[in-house]
Amino acid sequence: MLLIADIDKTYDGGPHIQASLRIPHGASSTILFGPSGAGKTTVLRCIAGLEKLTAGKILFDGHEWTSVPPQKRPLGYLFQEYALFPHLRVRENIGYGVRHRTDVVERVAAKLNVHELLDRWPSELSGGQQQRVALARVLAREPRLLLLDEPLSALDAATRDHVRSELAHLLRGLGIPAIVVTHDWVDALTLGDQMVVMSAGRVLQTGPPREVFTRPQHREVAAAVGVETVVAGRVKRREGGLAILGVGSAQLAAADPGREDVDFYVCIRGEDVTVEKGRAEQSSARNHLSGIVVDVAPAGILTKVVLDVGFELIALVTRQAVADLELTKGADVFAVFKASAVHLIPKSA
Amino acid sequence: MNWQAVATTLKLASATSIILMIIGLPVSYWVAFSKWRWKFLVEAVVALPLVLPPTVLGFYILLAMGPQSPLGRRYESLAGHGLPFTFEGLVVASVLYSLPFAVQPIAAAFGSVDRKFIEASWMLGVSNLETFFRVIVPQSWAGVMTGLVLSFAHTLGEFGVVLMVGGNIPGVTRTLSIDIYDQVQELNYSGAARTSAMLLIVSFVILSIVYGFNRKVWLFAADRRHRQDV
């Protein structure tokens, strides 16, 4: 392992954060995921040496790091708003931490395609350019581990998508392991090989991002990764690979997780729920629940439709669908979703 | 115009502000960044000259410099003469008297440097001391200039402390403000008026430069932000 971090940090009268991280040698990036206030940034700052541990230890390549100052740790820390020095030009910013500047600056500037920006001031750069310059500054010191704190949150939505794929490409090309803090599941899926989900100062689940998203092991993880509907349900019977659950006053079918448990959290992603006016005759979807529309609210490019189908179910549909189906409060509708779209988390977990 | 007093005053103000830069930078750094729980006591001590009557301050400085005090005796054995009623003594007193005028603007400027820049510097392998000179001071230069100029201007006009510690020795410790006092005592109102007018104008010009300078810095920053928005 390159990094073994067992972090225990208590703030006076504040939150208590406990997290263990293992970062293997080699170029993999680990996503530290969770809602704001989960303690992700604190974990990153502890690894960087910007915060002192209350207990626990950090081993880097076999070396104990507890009393090593931040300056002596071979890390590349990308700050949330990039923290480019406003009083220095791009060239001096990139060369700030290195002794033999010229060739190093030229080299990383070429690698990050910021050559033509070298004589500008940071305030003259766009958000995406600032990020590349900040990365160049970090890479000039040839760090052995990158720590990226919400690398995309300072950007507006339009540039974010573009910069995200650029960053993903770059991270894969660099060959340096990275820890990326984010609360955005698109970031997690795009940038991560491994994912550590935190909530309220604890690590809840670790695994490849796709697995975490499709198979959250905790209710909090499901909520944190943006599963819109998380409700309690109880298995009534099992038949032909399906589990039939009672949820509220409704019944629905889910793929049988094959466990003895009967009490589960039922997780359904809003994108997986279709809303229809009448009962569809021909459909492979197992679940057709009748109900009424409780609320209709815009959610980005989609519209969030809250349904009462015996329990509260949230569907994400296009605006066109809202118009076509005349979805307004009180409308009678059917909610349709496949059994495989229902993910079950045992309550005992 | 008493040019000898002008020269003494300028010499005193220059020496004081230069020494205050040397002492003021580390003291301001400490005031801005220390997390010591009793820090407020030190801040109060630094701010004392703002509220104490100069005669009170001068009295204690005089006692501390005098032959009765260990400090005074030590200086006398090193320098061969005492500090009171000398130019050096006057400089020491002025430094103490003008300390808040240097420390407060500089510490405020240091404190307003965004912590992320300091941490970014650390994470790039740069030591605390080097970070101070490469990140904190360059981003606080308006505050540092303000501190330098204010301590200069404040020293130009001091009276009570000078009188207590320096006395009134022509060419050595007689400054402009004391010269004005002497002229009024001698009922030489026209001379006092000339010197007063000069001190008034010089002080006004210096302060205008400081405030104009700070405003320009502000405009410059706003201008940069504006360019970013476009």
Side-chain angles (χ1 to χ4, degrees), chain A residues 247-320:
Chain A
V247 181
S249 62
Q251 278 202 7
L252 54 80
D256 190 347
R259 293 179 58 142
E260 291 304 301
D261 306 72
V262 288
D263 285 308
F264 289 93
Y265 287 110
V266 175
C267 307
I268 306 167
R269 288 193 162 270
E271 299 93 321
D272 293 335
V273 180
T274 331
V275 182
E276 313 213 330
K277 268 292 186 188
R279 182 180 278 275
E281 292 302 320
Q282 296 252 304
S283 167
S284 67
R286 279 278 161 185
N287 296 297
H288 297 254
L289 305 179
S290 78
I292 57 164
V293 176
V294 178
D295 192 24
V296 180
I301 55 166
L302 295 172
T303 301
K304 178 171 140 181
V305 181
V306 183
L307 305 166
D308 181 0
V309 293
F311 60 94
E312 188 175 274
L313 178 66
I314 290 162
L316 288 175
V317 299
T318 59
R319 280 186 206 143
Q320 193 59 44

Side-chain angles (χ1 to χ4, degrees), chain A residues 45 48 50 70-71 75 77 79 81 83-87 96-97 99 101 121 123-125 130 137-138 141, chain B residues 115-128 130-131 134-136 138-139 224-225 227-229:
Chain A
R45 291 174 60 82
L50 296 173
Q71 286 94 338
L75 300 171
Y77 197 117
F79 286 81
E81 271 136 3
L84 293 176
F85 301 123
H87 62 288
Y96 184 84
R99 295 262 172 244
R101 287 196 187 176
W121 295 99
S123 55
E124 297 169 333
L125 306 177
Q130 286 185 37
R137 183 174 74 174
V138 155
R141 286 191 70 228
Chain B
R115 196 168 171 82
K116 75 182 175 211
F117 295 124
I118 298 167
E119 291 180 344
S121 173
W122 293 347
M123 292 315 299
L124 291 166
V126 173
S127 70
N128 285 353
E130 218 182 307
T131 298
R134 290 177 69 189
V135 174
I136 299 173
Q139 291 195 33
R224 282 207 206 160
R225 265 198 296 280
R227 264 186 279 158
Q228 190 183 12
D229 288 343

Side-chain angles (χ1 to χ4, degrees), chain A residues 31 36 66 92 114 139 142 185 191 231 248 263 286 307 341:
Chain A
I31 302 289
S36 43
T66 313
E92 288 93 46
V114 291
L139 292 175
E142 298 179 351
W185 57 272
L191 302 172
V231 285
D263 285 308
R286 279 278 161 185
L307 305 166

